[in-house]
Amino acid sequence: MVNAAPHRVAILVYDGVTLLDFAGPAEVFKEANRFGADYRIVLLSPTGAGVTSNLGIQIAVDGAVSPDPAFDTVLVAGSDLYPRARIPRDLADAARIPAAAAGRVASICTGAFVLAAAGLLDGKRATTHWKVAHELAARCPTCRVEPDAIYVRDGATYTSAGVTAGIDLALALVEEDHGPQLARDVARALVVYMQRAGGQSQFSAPLQGPPPRSPALRKITDLVTANPDGDHSLGELAKHLNVSTRHLTRLFHDELSTTPARYVENIRFDMARALLDQGHTATQAAILAGFPSYESLRRVFARKLSISPAAYQRRFSTTRRANAG
């Protein structure tokens, strides 16, 4: 059902803001107006002066942030500048002032760092781009950061993952305001998913990270990578290094904060994902990466990415393969 009263949306932008972070959600709201919604979008900057985006494009704004008028929704866009640098006080204040009277507050990507600096995420669940989720957790120790979420709602506070996740969030807000049918019409018009399957882990870098510092553990990773379908049980790995299973488990815990079995699984998972990217079938990827069966690989994909290997491959096939034939 479409609301009669206009819905005022303020989007906070600033120098270095990521263009797509605010343009994507704004396009969703604009498109929703074609189907009967009435979103009134204004761009605000901390001082009311125009800003320069991350692409060097000059952006004119409608005014400076102020406590009046009150907005129904306040969106804070992200920037590559943060979290590499601390959030300036004037930018944190620029988020805090309109948020105080807003019906709901949301961030796109690293805009979550601005909300955190403004104290707006204290004690709340939140997310941000997978690359910097750990940094958000460090800067906002009272937050419960959910690094795999596309977006998170905690009361009237919303946070979203990297860049295009702002479109997912905006669609969710439209659905909240006007119901699923209008949101579905908007998604179809923009040729995007109404709701993306899986979390943002499917877009993340390999899980195993940099090689271990310990020569003993590097031996293990080299062994598994060279022969992924070998017997890499805890006992066999300990025997290979001539150490006790307890000592090997402690080494993994102290240096990598994981278990030998989970680390071996991560290596195999990363190999399987790379094989899928190269065009191997899911069954071939499972065998070559050392999984006992396709089903075991499917279970790991479901646990780590919330999608199947086949669904992952469909999403990340190269354009050359997708357009062949």
Side-chain angles (χ1 to χ4, degrees), residues 84-99:
R84 285 184 291 154
R86 287 282 166 184
I87 305 297
R89 178 173 295 180
D90 64 332
L91 181 52
D93 289 342
R96 188 184 301 110
I97 291 167

Side-chain angles (χ1 to χ4, degrees), residues 171-278:
L171 283 169
L173 297 178
V174 169
E175 181 177 6
E176 186 177 293
D177 295 337
H178 300 298
Q181 187 54 55
L182 192 146
R184 194 174 294 115
D185 289 340
V186 173
R188 285 171 174 158
L190 296 177
V191 199
V192 296
Y193 287 112
M194 174 77 166
Q195 183 174 12
R196 241 188 290 196
Q200 61 170 321
S201 292
Q202 62 191 290
F203 304 98
S204 66
L207 298 176
Q208 65 199 62
R213 295 187 305 274
S214 158
L217 293 188
R218 281 203 300 275
K219 246 185 188 180
I220 296 295
T221 59
D222 291 345
L223 174 69
V224 177
T225 303
N227 183 27
D229 60 348
D231 180 359
H232 301 311
S233 63
L234 176 59
E236 285 300 312
L237 292 177
K239 196 183 299 180
H240 184 79
L241 293 182
N242 197 27
V243 298
S244 69
T245 56
R246 179 177 295 181
H247 180 68
L248 181 61
T249 300
R250 189 166 57 246
L251 277 176
F252 270 90
H253 179 269
D254 291 347
E255 184 170 340
L256 300 172
S257 300
T258 190
T259 64
R262 184 52 55 86
Y263 195 78
V264 169
E265 180 184 88
N266 284 346
I267 291 176
R268 287 171 167 166
F269 172 75
D270 286 341
M271 292 182 73
R273 192 154 65 157
L275 289 163
L276 290 171
D277 290 342
Q278 293 163 19

Side-chain angles (χ1 to χ4, degrees), residues 42-94:
V42 297
L43 294 184
L44 302 178
S45 71
T47 64
V51 301
T52 304
S53 79
N54 63 320
L55 299 180
I57 296 172
Q58 302 298 307
I59 301 161
V61 301
D62 298 294
V65 294
S66 68
D68 189 52
F71 292 94
D72 299 291
T73 299
V74 172
L75 290 180
V76 179
S79 169
D80 291 340
L81 298 174
Y82 311 110
R84 285 184 291 154
R86 287 282 166 184
I87 305 297
R89 178 173 295 180
D90 64 332
L91 181 52
D93 289 342

